[in-house]
Amino acid sequence: MKPVTRIHSRTAVLADENIDTDRIIPARFLTTTTRDGLGKLCFHDWRYQADGSDNSAKENPDFPLNRPEAAGCAILVAGRNFGCGSSREHAPWALLDYGIQAVLCSEIADIFRNNALKNGLLAIVVSEAEHRWLLEHPGVELAIDVREQHISLPDGGRIRFQLEPFARHCLLEGVDQLGFLLQRAEAITRYELQHEEHAA
């Protein structure tokens, strides 16, 4: 996992509400345990025109992220209640492999948000008013500072956000929960040895 300290990008907007994890990546693609290549499956049934197979190659021109102005955008502004539905780490994996580094919304499903932060995808909850402004201004240039926990706007204004301290630490250090524990392996071993001595 790479450190996530600052993200600078234009925004792409998916204004639909209640975009669930099955819409982010359909359940039939959950057979893999690797992250590689999941980007091409991200929003699969929305992104491609159905042709009766799982190998649809023709992009749906009505899908907002297929439009030219969304190309290269690393920040997704999503409609309310993004990531609802069943828990699946494949959802943040697919978004990251697609090129999305941050999701901004007024309401993000808790399980999705936890999975996202654990896997290096920045999931930020903003106020209703801030969310409405972001939805109304697709393509706006934003700079997200994870350390300082604010989003810089083009006019010099800022949107402040909160991250759980442990999640913020892991993002800044580029480690997941296992990596965090492995960094402290020596201290854990010392602790165990000391307690073994006391118990003897």
Side-chain angles (χ1 to χ4, degrees), residues 13-53:
V13 170
L14 273 181
D16 295 52
E17 296 187 353
N18 305 311
I19 297 173
D20 62 29
T21 51
D22 197 59
R23 208 165 185 194
I24 297 170
I25 182 164
R28 66 184 182 278
F29 297 127
L30 304 185
T31 54
T32 180
T33 56
T34 180
R35 307 175 186 212
D36 297 336
L38 289 181
K40 69 179 182 294
L41 304 175
C42 191
F43 299 114
H44 185 279
D45 295 348
W46 195 2
R47 181 175 162 196
Y48 300 106
Q49 292 183 335
D51 67 353
S53 76

Side-chain angles (χ1 to χ4, degrees), residues 72-179:
C73 293
I75 300 173
L76 177 66
V77 178
R80 188 186 63 80
N81 197 28
F82 185 79
C84 56
S86 62
S87 172
R88 57 187 70 172
E89 285 190 306
H90 292 70
W93 291 354
L95 287 163
L96 284 165
D97 197 53
Y98 182 81
I100 300 297
Q101 298 174 44
V103 176
L104 311 183
C105 190
S106 61
E107 183 182 334
I108 300 175
D110 288 341
I111 294 175
F112 173 83
R113 188 165 191 248
N114 289 334
N115 281 335
L117 293 171
K118 287 176 185 176
N119 285 282
L121 175 66
L122 195 55
I124 296 175
V125 176
V126 298
S127 72
E128 291 283 354
E130 291 161 344
H131 184 227
R132 188 163 49 252
W133 187 89
L134 290 167
L135 288 172
E136 292 170 354
H137 294 82
V140 68
E141 289 270 355
L142 301 179
I144 304 173
D145 190 317
V146 176
R147 190 176 304 280
E148 300 300 324
Q149 298 183 103
H150 68 243
I151 303 167
S152 296
L153 304 174
D155 64 0
R158 286 182 175 177
I159 295 173
R160 301 220 169 256
F161 62 89
Q162 293 295 318
L163 291 173
E164 190 273 324
F166 179 67
R168 176 175 168 272
H169 170 83
C170 289
L171 287 167
L172 291 171
E173 295 297 317
V175 296
D176 58 15
Q177 291 174 326
L178 178 58

